[in-house]
Structure formats: structure tokens, C-alpha cells
Amino acid sequence: LAERRRAAKAQQEHEEFVERVRKNELTEEDHEGRLGGVVDLALGEATGCALLKEIGIEQTPQNAHRMLLQWGHWDETDCPWPSRNRVNLAPFDPDLPEAKWASGAGERRQFAGTMKAFAIDPEGTLDPDDAISLAPDGKMWVHVADAAGLVDAGTPFDEAARERGSSVYLPWGVAGMLPPQVTEAAGLGLGATSPAMSFGFRLDDEGALHDIEVCKSDVEVTRMPYGEAHELIERGEEPFKTLFAAAMRFRERREANGAVGFQFPDADVSVSEDGQVAITEIPLLSSNELVMEFMLMAGEAAATYALDN
């Protein structure tokens, strides 16, 4: 008899809760202990939700998110997308060791002091990973941050990177792929010199690559936002004038060979500490085109080098 009474009471309390849900009159107790299933669905941690089913709402993460906002359980600053996409936002283990050269790091060619490289990135980039340069002999180079030189397979650093897969830029911050101590050691321009994998090549009048080299290096890198690099290109200052002309020759060759390009509008989304959302259009500048073409050159250089060796 006591069991039946407890069951009847629980059923009555549930029915009263569902009625409050329908009327959007949830109590503090409801918010604290009865919306977990809706939250799990909104975060992508469940495939269904009994409460939404009971009140006749399709059981989707989007609907769960919408109802949590409607009920006042969440506000506009609650973002379920990282959880839905399994983005790891947890801080790195503070006990990870200091970043050191991996066992196979090998000797590095010293470019520092002989030519300067430029890492051109959006404002606020925390992990610069590529740079371009023009050597005194006219050879062009693309330098890529050599994070692998600091990370042996199977080490805590490697496991942390594998778990995350990539750095994720969110409106309120960055979820890095690598622990800060690796980024600080490997990021281009974050130290007096930077370790890199460097791809060198010359470009003929038709935009074709030749005299390709690949080496590990130490390079002196200057960081620069896209806007500043764009101004230097427009003013015709070296080495940007020569590098941009080469980039355009390479593009002409690509397009003559049937390359297809897509230019979609880009925007920067940020959230201030007081919750204000700012969406700023990012214009396509000559510096964007410069970096894009040189990254494609590096890809072709690496593929050609691999085929030849």
C-alpha cells in the first residue's frame, strides 16, 4: 500500500511538473533537478528526451536548445555546439612535461640572420603556424611550424593532440590542439627563432615550380596582420612586391590548368565579457591571396619532392 501511495504521489508530481512546463511556469526545483534529459539532448549527449516527447515536441537537439531558452533555463550565452561536435574544452593536464626536442629532431638549417620570414595571420591569432620568405638568392620559401619536432609518438603531448585533432576558435576563446608549452616553443614568431619544416622553390615565368628543397630549419619570423601586409603589397614594398607577383603567376598557371576557386564571405564573431556579440565582415585582401597561393605552392612542392625522392 505504501508503495502504491509513493507511486501515485510521484505520478501526480510529474503531471504537475508537465503542466508547469506547458505553461512555462517552472519552479527553481524544476530547473535544478528535472530538465537534465532536455539538457543532454541539447548537448548531443542523448538521442531522445522523454519530456519533449510527452509535450509533443520533436526530439531534436535544436528543439531542446530552443525550449531551454524559452523556459529560461539557458540564456543566449549558453552554447551547445562544442559539446555536440565533441570539442574538448577541458584544460590540459598541468603536470605535462616541458616541451623538448623529440628523439628524431635532427639537424636544422640555419636561416636565422640570413633572411626574414613573415607570418601573416588574422589579428589575435595565438598559434601562428606558417610563414613565407624571399632569400637573398631569389629563392622563395614557405616555413611550417615543426610541432612534430617537439612531440614523439605516444608521448603525453601526442596523446593530447590526437584527442583534440585541431585547434578550435570559438567566440569566447581558443581550444588549442596542443598544450601551451608546445605552442610557445613551436609557434612561428613566438621566440627569437622558430623551428620549422621549410619548403624552398623557384618559380619560372610560366608559374611552374622548380629547384625544390625541403629541410628542417631555424628561421627568424616577423608576425604581421593581414591588413599591414596588404598595405605593404599595395605600396609595392619588397619583399612583398616580388612575392605577390610570384603568387599571381602561380595562380594564372593553376587557372589555365582548370583550377576552380570559391570565394565565400567571411566574418569574425566575438563575444565581449558583458555578453555583447559582434560580427565583423572580413574583407578579402591581397595579403589573403598571397598567403593562400603560397600555401598551395608549398603543397605542390611537398608532393613533387615526395614523388622525386
Side-chain angles (χ1 to χ4, degrees), residues 120-122 226-227 229-230 233 244 248 251 263 266 282-294:
I120 305 171
D121 292 294
Y226 278 116
H230 170 74
I233 292 170
F244 186 72
M248 294 303 99
R251 171 179 288 182
Q263 296 295 342
D266 198 3
I282 300 176
L284 179 65
L285 303 175
S286 57
S287 50
N288 296 90
E289 297 177 300
L290 170 67
V291 172
M292 179 180 71
E293 295 300 330
F294 265 84

Side-chain angles (χ1 to χ4, degrees), residues 78-309:
D78 287 290
C79 179
W81 295 103
S83 176
R84 288 185 198 171
N85 289 280
R86 303 298 185 263
V87 176
N88 188 342
L89 301 181
F92 285 97
D93 182 352
D95 294 327
L96 281 174
E98 180 183 354
K100 297 180 180 179
W101 288 117
S103 58
E107 295 297 321
R108 293 185 171 274
R109 185 169 171 181
Q110 294 298 316
F111 286 133
T114 63
M115 65 178 175
K116 184 172 288 187
F118 299 91
I120 305 171
D121 292 294
E123 293 273 8
T125 296
L126 300 178
D127 50 357
D129 58 5
D130 57 70
I132 60 177
S133 61
L134 180 65
D137 64 359
K139 197 164 196 174
M140 291 168 286
W141 292 84
V142 174
H143 312 280
V144 180
D146 186 16
L150 290 160
V151 180
D152 266 328
T155 62
F157 288 133
D158 180 49
E159 292 172 0
R162 285 173 180 269
E163 183 181 2
R164 286 162 172 78
S166 66
S167 294
V168 179
Y169 285 77
L170 299 163
W172 57 87
V174 180
M177 180 182 74
L178 291 166
Q181 55 265 56
V182 175
T183 299
E184 291 165 7
L188 299 185
L190 298 184
T193 62
S194 301
M197 284 294 297
S198 296
F199 302 84
F201 46 82
R202 299 182 190 277
L203 207 67
D204 65 23
D205 292 340
E206 302 301 318
L209 276 64
H210 62 96
D211 191 16
I212 294 170
E213 292 183 71
V214 178
C215 65
K216 295 180 179 181
S217 67
D218 280 315
V219 63
E220 181 182 353
V221 178
T222 297
R223 299 186 63 191
M224 183 176 295
Y226 278 116
E228 182 180 347
H230 170 74
E231 293 176 2
L232 294 172
I233 292 170
E234 294 301 302
R235 293 203 300 263
E237 296 195 18
E238 295 291 2
F240 299 94
K241 177 181 178 180
T242 297
L243 293 172
F244 186 72
M248 294 303 99
R249 290 204 309 278
F250 182 73
R251 171 179 288 182
E252 290 173 4
R253 170 175 163 264
R254 290 196 305 107
E255 292 176 344
N257 289 335
V260 177
F262 298 94
Q263 296 295 342
F264 296 104
D266 198 3
D268 177 72
V269 182
S270 61
V271 181
S272 65
E273 291 184 359
D274 61 356
Q276 296 299 310
V277 178
I279 302 176
T280 306
E281 181 181 359
I282 300 176
L284 179 65
L285 303 175
S286 57
S287 50
N288 296 90
E289 297 177 300
L290 170 67
V291 172
M292 179 180 71
E293 295 300 330
F294 265 84
M295 295 307 106
L296 292 171
M297 289 184 208
E300 181 174 328
T304 302
Y305 184 87
L307 286 172
D308 292 343
N309 293 275

Side-chain angles (χ1 to χ4, degrees), residues 35-39 41 46-54 57 59 64:
L35 298 177
V38 187
V39 171
L41 178 58
T47 58
C49 173
L51 178 59
L52 292 189
K53 180 179 180 180
E54 188 167 356
I57 295 176
Q59 302 169 68

